[in-house]
Amino acid sequence: MPHFILDCSNSILDNYTEEDLMASIHHAANSSDLFVENEIKVRINPYQKYLVGNKSADFIHVFAHIMQGRTTEQKAMLSKIIVSKLAALFPNIENIAINVSDFEKATYCNLEKL
């Protein structure tokens, strides 16, 4: 916990490897001081076929799934950190976004909780 899933156009990987891009997201998330570093998980899904505004424009969208309990202000700060980092890496991409959603503590389960 937390999970950061990056959906993106495949062509953004022309400038950065998947590993470098995931490391950048990991570092940005860790810099928020909201998480334990070794618990941050990052995945990437590059797409070859997509439409953005009915055209094939490059995009990056991060889906952040975090344990409930953070304030709206903390989640907004996390969003700004991630988008700012991606905008610095990809200044020519106009479609960069993130949304943050909460896991419910009551329903979340992993192997450690069994």
Side-chain angles (χ1 to χ4, degrees), residues 29-108:
N30 189 51
S31 74
S32 73
D33 293 325
L34 295 175
F35 314 109
V36 176
E37 182 174 17
N38 66 349
E39 294 179 359
I40 298 170
K41 298 162 185 75
V42 183
R43 298 185 292 280
I44 186 169
N45 295 311
Y47 291 87
Q48 292 184 8
K49 297 181 182 185
Y50 52 87
L51 288 176
V52 178
N54 205 29
K55 60 184 177 179
S56 185
D58 284 330
F59 75 97
I60 302 171
H61 190 98
V62 178
F63 296 90
H65 303 283
I66 67 174
M67 187 59 71
Q68 70 183 60
R70 284 19 178 256
T71 66
T72 299
E73 292 78 16
Q74 288 173 314
K75 291 185 271 189
M77 180 260 308
L78 174 63
S79 294
K80 289 178 183 174
I81 289 171
I82 299 288
V83 169
S84 294
K85 177 64 175 179
L86 291 169
L89 291 175
F90 300 97
N92 297 324
I93 295 180
E94 296 178 9
N95 300 295
I96 299 175
I98 183 173
N99 66 288
V100 179
S101 59
D102 293 332
F103 282 107
E104 289 183 347
K105 287 181 183 179
T107 60
Y108 178 76

